[in-house]
Amino acid sequence: MTAPSTYGLSSEARNLHWLLTNLVEEVPGIQSVAVVSSDGLLLLSSDPARTAESRRKKAAKGPRGSSADLATIVSGIGSLTIGAASLMEFGGVRHTMIAMDEGSLFVMSISDGSLLGVHGSAECDMSVVAYHMALFVGRAGHVLTPELRSELRKSLEAESTGSAR
């Protein structure tokens, strides 16, 4: 994975980038990851278009290979499950796992409504992915402050306008 530039970011933001890169590189079968704010905005991603492997394959399956698409899906699933939990009066949603014929989708609450979404291949071990997601959430949850969310969002916006040139 080629990580986005973290030049000029706070140590907390660089640490989150490192945690996300580590998650993708260390867990077999993870194809893409997105961290989404409570209002559905993408904060951090492992955009699969950046990886050398996906460029070689060119036909990588997933939400169009776009981190924005994954963020939209994660946000929608998060909203749906929160609504269901509220109607059923079962408390907060901790995680959601969706197993499909050719892949998996995992959504886990981080903090303040933020979500971690992981798109995995059909071969990924769902329990291993869930375990590593929980580690990420445990490490990221206490530092994902409103200030850091704003910094991450601005960093993504600057990166996308810089790549559009």
Side-chain angles (χ1 to χ4, degrees), residues 34-96:
V35 175
V36 182
S37 67
S38 60
D39 54 359
L41 297 175
L42 180 64
L43 299 176
L44 194 61
S45 77
S46 68
D47 193 340
R50 290 189 191 125
T51 65
E53 184 179 344
S54 70
R55 282 192 294 270
R56 281 192 307 269
K57 288 182 181 177
K58 290 193 181 184
K61 292 185 178 181
R64 287 200 220 122
S66 167
S67 53
D69 289 344
L70 180 60
T72 301
I73 293 165
V74 167
S75 180
I77 288 172
S79 294
L80 182 62
T81 56
I82 288 168
S86 176
L87 284 172
M88 294 181 201
E89 299 178 354
F90 285 161
V93 177
R94 290 180 291 191
H95 64 265
T96 304

Side-chain angles (χ1 to χ4, degrees), residues 20-33:
L20 184 118
T21 300
N22 209 31
L23 176 66
V24 173
E25 290 178 351
E26 297 293 320
V27 182
I30 289 183
Q31 295 185 341
S32 59
V33 179

Side-chain angles (χ1 to χ4, degrees), residues 1-9 13-14 16-18 20-21 43-47 50 152 155-156 159-160:
M1 171 180 174
T2 305
S5 173
T6 57
Y7 179 77
L9 294 180
R14 287 191 312 271
L16 283 179
H17 276 278
W18 179 84
L20 184 118
T21 300
L43 299 176
L44 194 61
S45 77
S46 68
D47 193 340
R50 290 189 191 125
L152 292 169
S155 169
L156 272 179
E159 187 178 308
S160 67

